[in-house]
Amino acid sequence: MRFYWDDAYPIAQALRAAHPGVDPLSVDWDTLHRWVVALPGFADDPRLKDPVRLEEIQREWLEEVLAHG
């Protein structure tokens, strides 16, 4: 699967799988950005570092953790 910045939910699912046990709220923007662009299949411009997109990804990731542990 290919990931783009607008794919907040699939990215959140991939982050949950890649970093089990991590509290998404404990991850700073720089680390979150690095983790997103390091995901296998990430196909967007890694130089884009939009806090709004990162916040949306973090929110989706938190919802995933709360829903599925």
Side-chain angles (χ1 to χ4, degrees), residues 14-64:
L15 288 170
R16 183 174 152 258
H19 304 281
V22 172
D23 175 1
L25 297 179
S26 72
V27 180
D28 62 75
W29 295 135
D30 290 331
T31 301
L32 181 58
H33 180 267
R34 279 195 315 273
W35 287 359
V36 169
V37 299
L39 288 171
F42 184 78
D44 214 334
D45 185 347
R47 295 172 296 173
L48 297 177
K49 192 172 182 180
D50 181 0
V52 173
R53 287 184 175 138
L54 290 172
E55 185 177 20
E56 183 179 354
I57 292 167
Q58 187 181 45
R59 183 175 12 92
E60 292 285 353
W61 184 12
L62 178 61
E63 289 179 14
E64 275 294 293

Side-chain angles (χ1 to χ4, degrees), residues 1-2 17 31 38 41 52 66-69:
M1 176 174 206
R2 292 173 119 13
T31 301
V52 173
L66 293 175
H68 305 289

